[in-house]
């Protein structure tokens, strides 16, 4: 590694970025020489001070070893988005080992996602039965809350390309629902609420908020293409349980990331295009953009009071959260707090007090006090800009912020290729007048160009400040070369001490965006399905066999290692076969596969799981179906014949 090469690369990127930005007339990026903390990097110093540790263990600091020895388990789960791979990943922390990929929006050949009837019903199909969409871009993943921490029930993830929200059941770690959000494009940020804004008994997640990044004419029917006043974005509320879209709010400008308050009263999105620009340069013309706050209780009351419209064919109620319609604090549904030039990221502090927006094109973070925003809605704050309680200069290209639960914030600096650790209270005191204070505590070089960042439990009230993961968008020289396509680099950092300590590099397939990390005992997964989870389960070998209604044939099958029931069946050319397979093995880890040559069929059935596929018989022959998933000493013999007479 070596700090020298890192600095050289940063200088190169500074100049490259400055040229790119100035070319479109934006403000310069220079001027952040203030607050340069000690250079980070290297597992020296604090690493050596780590307690205990036998020889051969990679002790790096108070967090302990990143090495998870053979037979040991990781201490934390990480839920990762996958970017345009289109799914989610489960990562063990601190090892960085990938434990599972959970498909949702796009097909997955391993488990047969997108092939089985059950997965197609979740994904959505066209009239001809083919999948509506086969690509996706997953960015943000967040879990459901109860009393301010994760309850282990659900996680949600967005698809930016096709405007869909998927939900994962965390007990089986499968996708169980996908909702298409009407009338939006560039669906980017999501965040579940953490409790109800009105009913104190509802101390858990019941809504998921979704931000639209790309504004479009509404309705988007090919008209009003050059009239910016007709372009809008919607902020959408989805019901966490039913996954129905509850309501939408029409806004000026756009939404980027989304955050929610711990008291359930406020949701917000940072806005980089308050200019409502349709073209690149217009989106960077204003010196300050905004963080847009939504008063959830008021919006839902307005809908009850009938103050909603609809857009196009959608039946979803839409309220007016445009600036002009919400100037009076007594009735406003939303309010903008200004944030410098094209901000990225908005993150809630674990003490529930602040939202922090990153400047992106400004070397600053903006700290907004939530009580003051509520005071403005209550008519007790004359100027909403007074909700800004700090705006420290922290470095170039700030994007996302995480927390250690000890009052410190950690922000990724994309252009500096650093993480900067800064103290929130010190920044607030400095903003209040004590200019001699320096909120920056430490800087750490990361490799390279970090985007998202998250520390253990940092999005909950139990942020514990142990490990922090940094998602680096470029890995460059950190791994063996594998041709033009480089892996990305997720780095793990020990944040138990004053100085951040780089602990581990982990190559990842592009390109995860966001992640959450939490103690392993916050979720309890089930390793065996219940037979009754499927209404069409084949409950015993005696229930197997072929039934026919005209050309529609149902083949009921079961698997018990190392055989299928039945081991052969007959069908005819022209039949439409629905094959139902229940795995009657109830032993943990005893998964079978089912592949059928020439008919493009392959899927897995986990213990006591049932799946079905439907296909047309279009050619005669003997077709050996077989088990694809190693299950038994006689796994290779686990096969049978589908016979189609000529
Ligand atoms: Cu069953 Cu391999
Ligand atoms: Ca802007």
């Amino acid at each position: 590694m070596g700090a020298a090469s890192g600095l050289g690369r940063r200088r190169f990127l500074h100049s490259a970025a400055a040229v790119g930005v100035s070319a479109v007339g934006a403000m310069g990026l220079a001027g952040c020489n203030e607050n340069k903390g000690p250079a980070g990097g290297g597992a020296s110093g604090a690493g050596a001070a780590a307690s205990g540790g036998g020889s051969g263990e990679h002790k790096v600091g108070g967090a302990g070893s990143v090495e998870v020895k053979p037979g040991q388990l990781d201490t934390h789960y990480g839920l990762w988005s996958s970017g345009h791979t289109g799914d989610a990943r489960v990562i063990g922390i601190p090892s960085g080992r990938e434990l599972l990929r959970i498909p949702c929006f796009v097909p997955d050949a391993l488990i047969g996602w997108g092939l089985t009837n059950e997965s197609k019903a979740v994904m959505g199909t066209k009239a001809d039965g083919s999948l509506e969409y086969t690509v996706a871009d997953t960015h943000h993943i967040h879990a459901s809350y109860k009393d301010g921490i994760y309850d282990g029930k659900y996680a949600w993830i967005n698809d930016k390309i096709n405007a869909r929200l998927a939900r994962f059941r965390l007990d089986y770690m499968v996708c169980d629902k996908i909702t298409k959000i009407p009338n939006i494009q560039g669906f980017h940020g999501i965040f579940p609420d953490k409790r109800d804004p009105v009913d104190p008994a509802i101390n858990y997640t019941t809504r998921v908020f979704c931000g639209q990044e790309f504004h479009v004419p509404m309705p988007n029917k090919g008209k009003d293409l050059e009239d910016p006043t007709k372009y809008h974005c919607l902020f959408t509320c989805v019901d966490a349980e039913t996954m129905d879209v509850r309501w939408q709010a029409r806004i000026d400008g756009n939404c980027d990331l989304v955050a929610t308050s711990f008291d359930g009263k406020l949701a917000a999105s940072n806005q980089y295009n308050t200019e409502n620009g349709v073209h690149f340069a217009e989106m960077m013309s204003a010196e300050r953009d905004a963080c847009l706050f939504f008063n959830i209780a008021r919006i839902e009351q307005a809908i009850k009071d009938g103050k909603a419209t609809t857009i196009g064919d959608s039946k979803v109620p839409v309220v007016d959260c445009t600036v002009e319609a919400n100037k009076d604090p007594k009735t406003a549904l939303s309010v903008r707090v200004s944030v410098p030039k094209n901000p990225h990221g908005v993150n809630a502090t674990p003490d529930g007090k602040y939202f922090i927006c990153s400047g992106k094109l400004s070397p600053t973070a903006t700290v907004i006090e939530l009580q003051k925003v509520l005071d403005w809605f209550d008519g007790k704050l004359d100027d909403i800009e007074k909700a800004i309680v700090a705006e420290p200069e922290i470095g170039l290209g700030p994007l996302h912020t995480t927390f250690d639960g000890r009052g410190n914030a950690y922000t990724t600096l994309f252009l500096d290729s650093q993480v900067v650790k800064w103290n929130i209270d010190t920044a607030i005191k400095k903003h209040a007048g004590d200019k001699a204070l320096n909120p920056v505590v430490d800087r750490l070089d990361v490799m390279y160009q970090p985007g998202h960042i998250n520390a253990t439990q940092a999005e909950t009230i139990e942020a514990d400040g142990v490990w922090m993961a940094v998602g680096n968008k470029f890995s460059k020289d950190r791994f063996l070369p594998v041709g033009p396509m480089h892996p990305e680099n997720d780095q793990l950092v020990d944040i138990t001490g004053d100085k951040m300590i780089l602990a581990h590099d982990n190559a990842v397939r592009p390109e995860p965006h966001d992640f959450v990390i939490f103690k392993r005992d916050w979720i309890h997964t089930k390793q065996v399905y219940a037979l009754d989870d499927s209404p069409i389960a084949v409950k015993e070998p005696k229930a197997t066999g072929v039934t026919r209604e005209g050309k529609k044939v149902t083949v009921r099958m079961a698997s018990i290692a190392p055989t299928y029931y039945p081991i052969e069946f007959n069908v005819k050319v022209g039949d439409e076969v629905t094959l139902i397979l229940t795995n009657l093995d109830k032993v943990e880890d005893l998964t079978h596969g089912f592949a059928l040559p020439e008919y493009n069929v392959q899927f897995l059935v986990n213990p006591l799981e049932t799946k079905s596929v439907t296909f047309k018989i279009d050619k005669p022959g003997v077709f050996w179906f077989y088990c694809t998933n190693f299950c038994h000493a006689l796994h290779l013999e686990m096969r049978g014949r589908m016979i189609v007479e000529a």
Side-chain angles (χ1 to χ4, degrees), residues 559-564 585 590-593 626-632 634-636 638:
S559 57
I560 300 175
T563 193
Y564 294 109
D585 278 310
L590 219 174
T591 297
H592 297 290
Y626 74 98
C627 178
T628 43
N629 205 73
F630 201 99
C631 57
H632 190 275
L634 295 172
H635 158 71
L636 287 176
M638 186 168 172

Side-chain angles (χ1 to χ4, degrees), residues 14-79:
H14 282 180
S15 51
V19 167
V21 169
S22 62
V24 290
M27 68 186 294
L29 287 161
C32 186
N33 294 319
E34 188 190 10
N35 299 338
K36 285 285 183 201
S44 58
S51 59
S55 61
E57 269 192 30
H58 301 284
K59 278 285 181 189
V60 292
S65 175
V66 294
E67 185 192 9
V68 177
K69 292 200 163 179
Q72 291 184 338
L73 302 178
D74 281 294
T75 53
H76 292 73
Y77 280 106
L79 302 178

Side-chain angles (χ1 to χ4, degrees), residues 6 74 88 151 226 326 412 426 458 565 568:
D74 281 294
D151 63 3
E226 301 304 326
N326 291 280
T412 48
T426 307
Y565 298 86
E568 62 182 52

Side-chain angles (χ1 to χ4, degrees), residues 116-367:
T116 61
N117 294 327
E118 292 73 23
S119 60
K120 285 168 92 172
V122 173
M123 295 170 82
T125 51
K126 299 180 196 166
D128 69 356
S130 63
L131 292 174
E132 181 98 46
Y133 304 106
T134 55
V135 298
D137 183 18
T138 61
H139 281 216
H140 301 108
I141 184 164
H142 299 284
S144 55
Y145 288 80
K146 185 172 188 183
D147 275 331
I149 64 169
Y150 302 139
D151 63 3
K153 201 170 173 193
Y154 296 129
W156 290 271
I157 196 164
N158 74 308
D159 167 22
K160 183 168 175 175
I161 299 174
N162 292 311
R164 292 174 293 170
L165 179 73
R167 182 175 74 188
F168 301 118
R169 288 177 61 151
L170 291 181
D171 56 352
Y172 291 143
M173 294 226 167
V174 294
C175 174
D176 75 335
K177 276 189 187 286
I178 291 177
T179 293
K180 170 84 176 168
I181 300 176
N183 289 314
I184 76 165
Q185 266 181 34
F187 166 28
H188 195 201
I190 64 167
F191 220 101
D193 70 0
K194 294 156 184 154
R195 60 188 311 138
D196 190 82
V198 178
D199 185 351
I202 303 175
N203 61 344
Y204 51 89
T205 294
T206 58
R207 303 168 184 78
V208 183
F209 298 109
C210 309
Q212 174 183 359
E213 187 183 339
F214 306 158
H215 61 344
V216 285
M218 288 198 181
N220 190 15
K221 301 276 188 194
K223 298 208 167 117
D224 305 317
L225 306 180
E226 301 304 326
D227 181 358
T229 65
K230 296 279 165 48
Y231 277 65
H232 285 285
C233 280
L234 298 172
F235 184 77
T236 299
C237 175
V238 175
D239 189 286
E241 198 58 49
T242 66
M243 289 289 282
D244 293 333
V245 179
R246 282 197 193 178
W247 50 261
Q248 295 181 299
R250 196 162 55 94
I251 64 165
D252 297 313
N254 69 340
C255 295
D256 191 12
L257 280 291
V258 173
T260 61
S261 65
F262 280 91
D263 64 10
K265 292 178 179 163
L266 296 169
S269 179
N270 66 293
Q271 301 190 282
Y272 66 77
N273 187 18
T274 53
E275 301 91 340
N276 245 19
V278 182
H279 305 106
F280 185 63
E282 293 154 18
M283 298 183 202
M284 300 209 292
S285 59
E287 284 308 314
R288 288 181 83 91
D289 285 295
C291 182
L292 177 60
F293 283 84
F294 298 92
N295 186 320
I296 303 306
R298 278 194 192 172
I299 287 174
E300 297 188 350
Q301 188 59 49
I303 291 162
K304 277 186 196 147
D305 295 343
K307 292 176 188 156
T309 54
T310 57
I311 297 171
D313 305 329
S314 167
K315 301 261 189 302
V316 175
V318 179
V319 293
D320 187 351
C321 281
T322 56
V323 174
E324 197 57 39
N326 291 280
K327 288 197 159 157
D328 181 356
K330 292 193 291 294
T331 57
L333 309 181
S334 59
V335 66
R336 270 181 177 168
V337 179
S338 83
V339 178
K341 214 170 187 68
N342 287 37
H344 193 73
V346 52
N347 297 94
T349 58
D351 62 8
K353 288 186 187 168
Y354 310 107
F355 281 2
I356 296 177
C357 290
S358 297
K360 192 166 77 185
L361 296 186
S362 162
T364 54
T366 300
V367 182

Side-chain angles (χ1 to χ4, degrees), residues 459-511:
E459 294 182 353
T460 77
I461 59 170
E462 292 192 15
D464 63 5
V466 178
W467 293 110
M468 178 176 77
V470 184
N472 294 285
K473 291 291 156 205
F474 298 85
S475 63
K476 301 185 192 292
D477 49 7
R478 302 292 281 189
F479 305 111
L480 281 176
V482 286
M485 175 91 170
H486 293 239
E488 296 191 17
N489 187 9
D490 281 354
Q491 293 188 299
L492 197 69
V493 179
D494 181 332
I495 56 167
T496 55
D498 289 337
K499 291 184 69 63
M500 295 174 278
I501 303 161
L502 181 58
H504 187 50
D505 278 18
N506 183 32
V508 286
R509 187 176 188 221
E511 70 164 4

